[in-house]
Every structure is written in structure tokens, then in C-alpha cells.
């Protein structure tokens, strides 16, 4: 497939934060290995003058998703900690880029970048019709952000070479991708974009 990036397109980079990288609090195996390809996508969108949205998990210390509060996850991505910071090599254009914080209130969790955020508004006011979604984790926040986009009427492209999953249960990432395919997402790789 050939896809030309133009005025209706935005890139969404999901949760490329230290705590989701090897050595972090909730590591995605090889999560850091997709940084270079994501940087290539980011530069392409920058060259085309199209916006790049970086979602981040941004939890308060007493977040409901943490085990000590009855959740299923170790403490991760606590606001203003090193673990919540983006991977140091993740490229950020000087402008036309936006940081979307999610899971920011103690009593709600958000796997989708659209949940409880202004992401939809920012995309729609820019006339964005197609979103390109990469990052981590395939089976949680990538899945839910892509699905959220589909439900809101965006055409959704999943970056097949720019995602990594946690696979708490074996096959979770594979099932997440099947689920997205079933719901109308299209898979692309860097070489197909121009
Ligand atoms: C995520 C688990 C807990 C994610 C966030 O970004 O995929 N996973 N919080
Ligand atoms: Zn979280």
C-alpha cells in the first residue's frame, strides 16, 4: 500500500515512558526497540507539517490501578517522576506537537488516550480524519487508543513496526491486533508512508 501523509493526518505515539521500557516499573519487553522507527514516523509527520500527539500515563501516587489500592499493576508512571518521563531518545519536534496526559485522577484509569482528555477535540479542530497509532503497550493502551479512534469515526492506521506488547497472558498482543482488524483498523509499516 502507498499512503501519502497530508493535511488530514495525525500521528499518535502512545505511552513511550521510562516505566514501560526495560528496567522500568512495568516493562514492555523490547519496548525501547521501537524508538528509532517511531522517530522516523515522527520526522515524517514533522516534515509534512502534521501534528504529533504523545500520550502519557500520568498517575497520582494513590492511583486506583496500583496493587496497593486494589488494582492490578505495580506503581508506575507517577506524575513528575523519572519513570513517567518519555524515553530520552524519543524525538519531539519543536512545535506542532502535543502531550496528552491520561489516568490523572486517583479513581479512574484510562487505557485510551481519548478517555478523559482533549485529544478528540484537538484532532477535530485541526480537521484530522486519519490517525496513525504506535507505541506501547499493544494489548492495553495502543489497543484502546486505536479502538477509541475507530469509535469516534477516525480512520485508524496501526504502525505494525512501531508497537510492542506486554502479553501478561500469552497471545494478548496478537488478539489485540485481531480485534483492531475486526473493527476496521488498517496495518501499515514505515515503508508504505510517503
Ligand atoms: C498501560 C498498563 C497500565 C499502557 C498503562 O500504557 O499500556 N498499561 N497502565
Ligand atoms: Zn497506568
Amino acid at each position: 500500500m502507498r499512503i501519502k501523509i497530508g493535511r488530514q493526518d495525525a500521528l499518535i505515539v502512545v505511552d513511550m515512558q521510562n516505566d514501560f521500557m526495560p528496567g522500568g516499573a512495568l516493562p514492555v519487553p523490547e519496548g525501547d526497540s521501537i524508538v528509532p522507527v517511531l522517530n522516523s514516523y515522527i520526522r515524517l509527520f514533522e516534515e509534512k507539517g502534521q501534528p504529533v500527539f504523545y500520550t502519557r500515563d500520568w498517575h497520582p501516587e494513590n492511583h486506583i490501578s496500583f496493587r496497593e489500592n486494589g488494582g492490578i499493576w505495580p506503581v508506575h508512571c507517577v506524575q513528575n517522576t523519572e519513570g513517567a518521563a518519555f524515553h530520552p531518545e524519543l524525538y519531539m519536534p519543536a512545535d506542532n506537537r502535543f502531550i496528552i496526559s491520561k489516568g490523572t485522577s486517583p479513581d479512574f484509569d484510562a487505557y485510551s488516550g481519548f478517555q478523559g482528555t482533549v485529544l478528540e477535540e484537538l484532532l477535530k479542530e485541526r480537521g484530522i480524519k486519519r490517525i496513525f497509532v504506535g507505541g506501547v503497550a499493544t494489548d492495553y493502551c495502543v489497543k484502546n487508543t486505536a479502538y477509541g479512534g475507530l469509535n469516534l469515526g477516525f480512520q485508524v492506521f496501526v504502525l505494525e513496526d512501531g508497537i510492542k506488547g506486554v502479553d501478561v497472558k500469552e497471545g494478548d498482543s496478537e488478539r489485540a491486533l485481531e480485534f483492531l482488524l475486526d473493527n476496521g483498523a488498517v496495518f501499515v509499516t514505515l515503508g508504505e508512508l510517503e
Side-chain angles (χ1 to χ4, degrees):
M1 197 168 11
R2 288 176 66 186
I3 298 170
K4 189 150 184 174
I5 298 305
R7 298 186 57 79
Q8 53 183 354
D9 300 325
L11 178 62
I12 302 181
V13 178
V14 175
D15 295 9
M16 289 299 290
Q17 297 165 269
N18 290 325
D19 271 345
F20 295 128
M21 300 294 128
L26 179 38
V28 176
E30 301 173 4
D32 54 343
S33 68
I34 58 174
V35 170
V37 71
L38 287 174
N39 285 346
S40 296
Y41 282 107
I42 294 163
R43 288 203 164 81
L44 174 65
F45 277 74
E46 180 185 35
E47 274 165 32
K48 300 286 181 174
Q50 292 309 109
V52 180
F53 294 83
Y54 297 81
T55 70
R56 66 180 178 186
D57 225 23
W58 196 245
H59 299 318
E61 265 173 8
N62 58 344
H63 193 247
I64 188 178
S65 78
F66 300 162
R67 275 175 203 139
E68 60 206 50
N69 304 315
I72 62 170
W73 303 113
V75 173
H76 65 279
C77 296
V78 173
Q79 295 169 5
N80 300 305
T81 62
E82 194 49 36
F86 290 114
H87 187 289
E89 271 142 49
L90 187 66
Y91 178 62
M92 295 233 174
D95 41 45
N96 208 12
R97 47 98 158 165
F98 305 86
I99 292 170
I100 304 291
S101 302
K102 63 184 170 60
T104 58
S105 33
D107 300 330
F108 297 94
D109 202 9
Y111 288 147
S112 164
F114 290 101
Q115 209 176 330
T117 72
V118 294
L119 179 56
E120 178 188 11
E121 223 176 296
L122 293 179
L123 292 169
K124 292 206 163 145
E125 73 193 18
R126 283 168 180 74
I128 300 300
K129 302 276 190 287
R130 307 194 299 188
I131 58 173
F132 293 74
V133 182
V136 295
T138 306
D139 34 356
Y140 291 93
C141 289
V142 170
K143 172 189 173 187
N144 285 277
T145 301
Y147 186 56
L150 289 165
N151 282 329
L152 292 167
F154 294 100
Q155 203 176 337
V156 175
F157 295 84
V158 175
L159 311 181
E160 209 174 353
D161 49 357
I163 50 178
K164 282 287 171 192
V166 282
D167 289 313
V168 171
K169 232 179 101 204
E170 201 190 314
D172 279 353
S173 294
E174 218 26 69
R175 282 187 290 275
L177 296 180
E178 285 299 321
F179 172 83
L180 291 174
L181 269 180
D182 283 340
N183 284 280
V186 174
F187 290 23
V188 294
T189 53
L190 182 64
E192 295 175 304
L193 269 50
E194 52 191 70

